Amino acid sequence: MRRIFIFLGPPGAGKGTQAEMFGAERGLPHISTGAMLRASMDAGTALGNKVKAIVDSGSLVSDALMIDLIRDRILQSDCSNGFLLDGFPRTTPQAEALDILLNETSEKVEAAVLFNITEEVLMSRLSARRTTENRADDTTETQLKRIKVYEEQTSPLINFYKEKSLLVSIDSDGTVDEVKSRLLNAFPIDSSSTFPNARSISNQN
Ligand code: AMP
């Protein structure tokens, strides 16, 4: 059975950094749809050219395009033991499409991991990111737009996964290492048999 994780949280919650480390620790590919789109944009592919204006503005690329992208990606051989989705699903139709895709192979998501963070910490992280990373979609204006888009279109997924008892909250206020150890404790090497019902982890170190 493949281990399938979804990392959820507002832009700036640190989920990309944690996803990278968690994937490496658990031997699962970290699939970041944002990184896939940026790579296509940098390479000037047809897909990249098609989505560039949307991504740069902080809006969402169409569900149909994103679902196609994920459908192909999770069929690749590096996903044979599972995978970790960072930035997908981002809308309810995407989450429903993922369920349908996984149903076809009698699989399901092991957990949707929500990175909880206060607005104050979020704002200071985003401001730091504007100076350390050089993303075209990281201006103050687009960051605020992306937070608004998150609240309107992505945050309903919190309830979507809560209702399926798949939501696990991780307190992401802390150092990178603190948050990383909370995650690793929440999902041991083989947690599928030992972690069926504990659905709220906040301060495990
Ligand atoms: P991220 O790196 O996850 O913050 O994504 C950067 C940008 O890529 C987003 O602001 C969207 O424009 C686009 N994007 C990434 N993933 C998705 C998705 N699942 N659905 C729609 N747009 C996406």
Side-chain angles (χ1 to χ4, degrees):
M1 189 64 139
R2 296 195 294 181
R3 298 191 77 180
I4 300 167
F5 293 96
I6 292 168
F7 278 20
L8 271 179
K15 65 182 164 42
T17 308
Q18 293 297 334
E20 193 62 51
M21 292 190 303
F22 183 75
E25 291 279 349
R26 293 290 176 260
L28 303 173
H30 163 211
I31 302 179
S32 158
T33 43
M36 288 168 79
L37 295 175
R38 283 188 292 279
S40 307
M41 285 158 52
D42 290 347
T45 64
L47 170 71
N49 295 335
K50 190 168 169 185
V51 301
K52 186 172 177 9
I54 301 170
V55 172
D56 284 349
S57 76
S59 300
L60 293 186
V61 173
S62 76
D63 287 335
L65 203 153
M66 297 310 302
I67 292 162
D68 279 352
L69 202 67
I70 283 294
R71 181 187 292 116
D72 291 347
R73 180 65 186 87
I74 66 178
L75 283 175
Q76 288 174 21
S77 59
D78 63 336
C79 296
S80 59
N81 292 324
F83 51 88
L84 188 173
L85 296 174
D86 163 18
F88 183 97
R90 231 168 171 113
T91 63
T92 304
Q94 290 181 16
E96 288 167 348
L98 178 65
D99 274 356
I100 292 169
L101 272 180
L102 296 179
N103 256 332
E104 286 167 7
T105 43
S106 306
E107 295 180 290
K108 66 189 219 58
V109 169
E110 180 171 331
V113 184
L114 173 67
F115 288 78
N116 264 325
I117 190 155
T118 62
E119 201 176 325
E120 201 184 348
V121 176
L122 189 65
M123 288 304 155
S124 79
R125 283 199 191 162
L126 284 173
S127 142
R129 194 162 95 174
R130 283 197 294 275
T131 48
T132 54
E133 293 178 24
N134 200 15
R135 277 172 51 170
D137 63 345
D138 258 352
T139 61
T140 311
E141 193 190 335
T142 40
Q143 279 181 346
L144 292 175
K145 168 84 187 287
R146 291 166 70 232
I147 290 173
K148 189 163 175 273
V149 168
Y150 171 80
E151 279 164 4
E152 289 174 359
Q153 303 196 56
T154 308
S155 67
L157 296 183
I158 296 172
N159 262 334
F160 181 93
Y161 288 111
K162 201 184 262 173
E163 280 168 9
K164 294 174 184 284
S165 301
L166 290 176
L167 193 78
V168 176
S169 267
I170 294 283
D171 175 5
S172 38
D173 190 358
T175 64
V176 168
D177 281 342
E178 282 165 353
V179 179
K180 177 184 174 188
S181 70
R182 285 172 201 152
L183 258 178
L184 293 176
N185 286 337
F187 303 104
I189 301 237
D190 182 7
S191 70
S192 45
S193 54
T194 56
F195 191 69
N197 292 315
R199 301 278 84 160
S200 179
I201 309 295
S202 55
N203 273 310
Q204 295 191 8
N205 281 305

